[in-house]
Amino acid sequence: MKLIKTEDAVGHVLCHDITQIIPGVTKDARFRKGHVVTSEDIPVLLGLGKDNLYVWEKDDTMYHENEAAEILCSICINKHMDRSSVKEGKIEISAACDGLFRVDVERLNAINDIDQIMIATRHSESAVKKGDKLLGTRVIPLVIKKEKMELVKKTAGEKPLCELLPYRIRKAGIVTTGNEVFYGRIQDTFTPVVTEKLEKYQIEATDHITVNDDKSKITEAILELKKRGCELIIATGGMSVDPDDQTPGAIKESGASVIAYGAPVLPGAMFCLAYFEDGTPVLGLPGCVMYSRATIFDLILPRVAAGVRITRKDITTLGNGGLCLGCETCHFPSCGFGKS
């Protein structure tokens, strides 16, 4: 930094805050560190008693922090996102709609590994609401070498670092299994839980079939819901290895390709995921979904609702963070469950 006359400071970057004091009214920074001095600022600065200023000497090899923040914003922002104005070298990006927020974590880490660069995001695979903050960007110094920002752009590549996928699935069908429910021995308390969770992602449970513990009947019910045009089919109960639990076999018999039966998540280890050839997902939900606040279903449903095709690797990588601690007061999703 260097000391220059205020009249000569136009275009330079302030190195410190400049405070304005109006007795009984305010005592606050009139100009913030990092502000680029304009011709309109000169009389104001002189009126504050600043005949000289400490400034960064800006040249053609450097970007001001606000300019650099614009570059960082440009490599992150994607469709369905809104951005803030730049302030003190920072830009924040928020959700323009409800949906699933995803981050290319490998590229994010590579960019943050570049000295003096910072991008902080929500966890990838987060379900968000319109207006939710997604990420913030800035560079650490007031000015930064242009060649460093070129490295940032090269590391980021052509594709935006983040994406927000609006929810696509609108119509779901539920198959309730179990002799105890089918014969009226107990009330079905599973379906209302599933229906409520679906509604959070704008999915309506339009069709519901209840069957006994007969594998062929469960298979028929799944195929019937498929025929009715359900975009998501959910079978509840009958997911364990007991002789009467026929749901996993019924899902397989329906012709859907099973991606995973079993998941490294507690609660939810007996979860089943399959897809029909046209991409229609079939979920087999274990009994824990009925009574546990957060389960494998809560981790998978946002992705399914957004139309993301889930792979076996997506399931197996849930193990790191897949243990719900069963806190007395549940704070999900604002906790570590399901986050690696």
Side-chain angles (χ1 to χ4, degrees):
M1 65 181 178
K2 67 176 182 176
L3 183 67
I4 63 173
K5 289 184 176 297
T6 298
E7 292 91 337
D8 300 329
V10 174
H12 288 280
V13 181
L14 293 178
C15 291
H16 55 90
D17 291 351
I18 295 177
T19 302
Q20 181 182 45
I21 300 175
I22 302 176
V25 179
T26 184
K27 180 182 178 182
D28 198 5
R30 180 62 176 81
F31 297 98
R32 295 285 184 185
K33 179 180 72 173
H35 176 72
V36 179
V37 179
T38 67
S39 57
E40 292 81 8
D41 297 332
I42 301 302
V44 180
L45 289 162
L46 293 172
L48 293 173
K50 298 299 180 182
D51 293 332
N52 300 284
L53 298 170
Y54 280 106
V55 297
W56 285 98
E57 189 173 8
K58 194 171 184 290
D59 59 43
D60 291 339
T61 68
M62 308 291 286
Y63 281 125
H64 177 254
E65 62 177 353
N66 286 353
E67 296 172 309
E70 294 288 354
I71 293 173
L72 294 180
C73 177
S74 71
I75 67 174
C76 295
I77 197 164
N78 208 333
K79 293 184 293 184
H80 312 299
M81 298 181 187
D82 294 324
R83 53 155 291 174
S84 70
S85 57
V86 61
K87 182 179 180 182
E88 298 175 13
K90 291 178 284 188
I91 295 177
E92 294 181 344
I93 296 176
S94 59
C97 66
D98 295 0
L100 180 73
F101 177 62
R102 310 184 84 194
V103 182
D104 187 323
V105 177
E106 185 175 346
R107 283 193 293 146
L108 172 66
N109 291 341
I111 292 168
N112 279 330
D113 197 41
I114 299 172
D115 188 39
Q116 301 181 327
I117 303 299
M118 187 228 74
I119 302 173
T121 76
R122 281 179 178 256
H123 277 283
S124 187
E125 313 298 344
S126 290
V128 298
K129 294 285 189 180
K130 180 179 180 179
D132 283 352
K133 189 185 299 184
L134 303 177
L135 63 94
T137 74
R138 73 166 301 160
V139 295
I140 304 306
L142 285 174
V143 292
I144 190 168
K145 290 185 179 294
K146 289 184 177 180
E147 63 184 33
K148 183 161 289 188
M149 297 310 299
E150 288 302 313
L151 176 59
V152 168
K153 290 191 283 187
K154 181 179 178 181
T155 304
E158 298 298 321
K159 184 180 179 182
L161 189 66
C162 307
E163 62 180 349
L164 179 58
L165 304 177
Y167 299 128
R168 292 172 48 190
I169 289 179
R170 292 289 179 262
K171 181 180 178 181
I174 301 173
V175 179
T176 298
T177 71
N179 290 338
E180 66 278 23
V181 176
F182 182 76
Y183 293 112
R185 297 167 188 161
I186 65 170
Q187 183 180 355
D188 175 16
T189 57
F190 208 146
T191 301
V193 172
V194 174
T195 299
E196 182 179 354
K197 289 180 182 289
L198 290 174
E199 289 173 351
K200 293 180 181 178
Y201 303 100
Q202 303 162 15
I203 303 172
E204 182 183 1
T206 57
D207 296 86
H208 181 212
I209 301 173
T210 302
V211 294
N212 62 3
D213 291 318
D214 182 322
K215 185 167 67 173
S216 64
K217 295 295 183 182
I218 300 172
T219 298
E220 289 174 10
I222 292 171
L223 291 173
E224 175 61 26
L225 294 178
K226 180 73 170 59
K227 181 180 177 182
R228 294 181 191 179
C230 293
E231 301 166 280
L232 166 64
I233 299 169
I234 297 173
T236 65
M239 292 300 302
S240 77
V241 294
D242 293 343
D244 291 337
D245 290 335
Q246 301 293 323
T247 305
I251 292 174
K252 184 176 181 180
E253 289 295 323
S254 72
S257 177
V258 176
I259 304 301
Y261 173 38
V265 176
L266 290 172
M270 305 308 290
F271 171 76
C272 182
L273 170 68
Y275 285 97
F276 280 105
E277 191 172 334
D278 66 355
T280 302
V282 182
L283 309 184
L285 302 185
C288 61
V289 174
M290 181 169 44
Y291 54 81
S292 295
R293 170 66 176 80
T295 69
I296 180 70
F297 187 40
D298 300 281
L299 304 184
I300 293 297
L301 182 56
R303 306 188 202 189
V304 170
V308 174
R309 179 81 179 220
I310 299 169
T311 66
R312 179 169 177 80
K313 184 177 180 181
D314 292 328
I315 299 291
T316 58
T317 55
L318 290 174
N320 181 24
L323 177 64
C324 175
L325 300 181
C327 303
E328 185 173 345
T329 300
C330 180
H331 297 288
F332 181 83
S334 300
C335 68
F337 180 53
K339 298 178 177 66
S340 59

